[in-house]
Amino acid sequence: MAFYILENIPKMTLLFLILACFMQLCFGAVYKVGESAGWTTIGNVDYKLWAATKTFQVGDVIVFQYSPQFHNVMQVTHAEYKSCNATAPIATHTTGKDSITITAHGHHFFLCGVPGHCQAGQKVDINVLRVSSSVSPSQSPSSLSHIPAVAVPAPSPSHASYWLPSKIGVVLAVSLVLLVSFA
């Protein structure tokens, strides 16, 4: 038994690394808007810059942490975002620790509906890019040079992760195939 384990250490290491990569695909990152400052008008937090430094993906969780006595979070349309209009939000959050799971690609616009806060910069555009995993035969690598590379972010130790149930089947199927091929 010990000989079998020693003989298969390289295979088991490879299997572990492959499984770890698949597990990364099944976890969404958790982003706290504004990092340590949170969702506030104090401290001149640049939410546009904060969002620009992130690569958001479907399945990520966006956390707004704030004092509910002084702030709220409203999901709005692009027009409402641009004009800081909070009169007809898509959704309103008021708990002070709101977790919003991103379920679609594209722009997700949020602002504080307290008068004057959006105008002071308390708004954020969470943009989830649609990344194509294949290149059509008509596209040469040189024709794709203008498309920016998008890296898959690994959650930092301060960010929690959660399991996406929809991907359990994929991970189990790949794991089973790998285990059978290495047996």
Side-chain angles (χ1 to χ4, degrees):
M1 178 68 174
F3 180 72
Y4 175 79
I5 291 173
L6 290 175
E7 177 182 275
N8 290 302
I9 285 179
K11 290 180 185 177
M12 291 189 324
T13 303
L14 178 62
L15 178 63
F16 175 76
L17 290 174
I18 291 170
L19 288 174
C21 290
F22 280 108
M23 293 299 287
Q24 179 63 35
L25 293 174
C26 295
F27 286 87
V30 177
Y31 294 99
K32 181 180 173 190
V33 176
E35 301 295 340
S36 61
W39 186 239
T40 183
T41 53
I42 300 170
N44 297 321
V45 180
D46 187 340
Y47 294 106
K48 184 176 183 177
L49 177 62
W50 174 84
T53 64
K54 310 292 183 263
T55 305
F56 299 107
Q57 297 183 43
V58 171
D60 287 349
V61 176
I62 310 303
V63 177
F64 291 86
Q65 193 166 1
Y66 57 93
S67 174
Q69 298 95 326
F70 303 108
H71 304 286
N72 59 36
V73 176
M74 294 185 169
Q75 185 170 3
V76 295
T77 66
H78 183 234
E80 292 167 330
Y81 175 83
K82 284 177 27 180
S83 64
C84 286
N85 180 352
T87 58
I90 297 166
T92 301
H93 306 275
T94 59
T95 67
K97 187 164 176 137
D98 304 314
S99 295
I100 300 166
T101 302
I102 301 301
T103 59
H105 292 96
H107 293 269
H108 304 270
F109 301 101
F110 300 94
L111 55 80
C112 181
V114 173
H117 288 201
C118 178
Q119 292 83 350
Q122 195 176 4
K123 63 182 187 174
V124 65
D125 172 7
I126 304 295
N127 187 12
V128 181
L129 299 175
R130 186 177 305 274
V131 180
S132 175
S133 60
S134 63
V135 176
S136 70
S138 64
Q139 294 174 314
S140 68
S142 61
S143 70
L144 299 175
S145 61
H146 67 282
I147 299 173
V150 178
V152 176
S156 70
S158 66
H159 294 145
S161 294
Y162 69 100
W163 182 252
L164 292 175
S166 63
K167 297 192 180 178
I168 291 174
V170 173
V171 171
L172 291 177
V174 171
S175 300
L176 182 60
V177 168
L178 291 172
L179 286 173
V180 168
S181 67
F182 284 113

